[in-house]
């Protein structure tokens, strides 16, 4: 099977990083949080827009209501 050298290098780096924390996800998470805080960069949270209940819901268009937004197939 063909192996990509770049992907292999990334996997090795990632494994070495995890190994340095004894594969403890909580410790890895705390380290990433610490690095994030020390970076001084603004952290943006991509949260849902107000009014959107789930990824499948959508806002109604002008003049549209729940009753007339999806015509029934009768």
């Amino acid at each position: 099977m063909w192996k990509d050298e770049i992907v292999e290098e990334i996997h090795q780096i990632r494994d070495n990083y995890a190994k340095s924390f004894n594969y403890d996800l909580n410790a890895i998470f705390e380290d990433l949080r610490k690095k994030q805080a020390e970076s001084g960069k603004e952290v943006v949270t991509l949260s849902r827009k107000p009014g959107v209940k789930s990824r499948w819901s959508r806002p109604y268009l002008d003049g549209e209501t729940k009753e007339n937004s999806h015509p029934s197939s009768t």
Side-chain angles (χ1 to χ4, degrees):
M1 180 177 174
W2 181 76
K3 291 187 178 187
D4 187 321
E5 293 177 20
I6 296 171
V7 172
E8 291 298 318
E9 182 180 355
I10 297 297
H11 288 175
Q12 186 63 46
I13 292 168
R14 185 177 57 189
D15 187 58
N16 290 340
Y17 180 72
K19 190 183 293 185
S20 72
F21 292 96
N22 200 29
Y23 300 97
D24 180 353
L25 291 179
N26 290 323
I28 293 169
F29 182 74
E30 285 302 317
D31 183 60
L32 292 172
R33 286 279 189 174
K34 180 182 169 192
K35 287 181 180 188
Q36 182 179 22
E38 291 172 351
S39 75
K41 295 181 181 178
E42 180 183 5
V43 178
V44 178
T45 302
L46 300 176
S47 59
R48 294 183 187 152
K49 293 180 182 178
V52 176
K53 303 283 188 261
S54 73
R55 69 184 247 179
W56 301 112
S57 63
R58 65 179 181 88
Y60 298 118
L61 302 175
D62 289 339
E64 195 177 49
T65 65
K66 183 177 180 181
E67 290 74 31
N68 69 8
S69 65
H70 301 286
S72 61
S73 55
T74 56

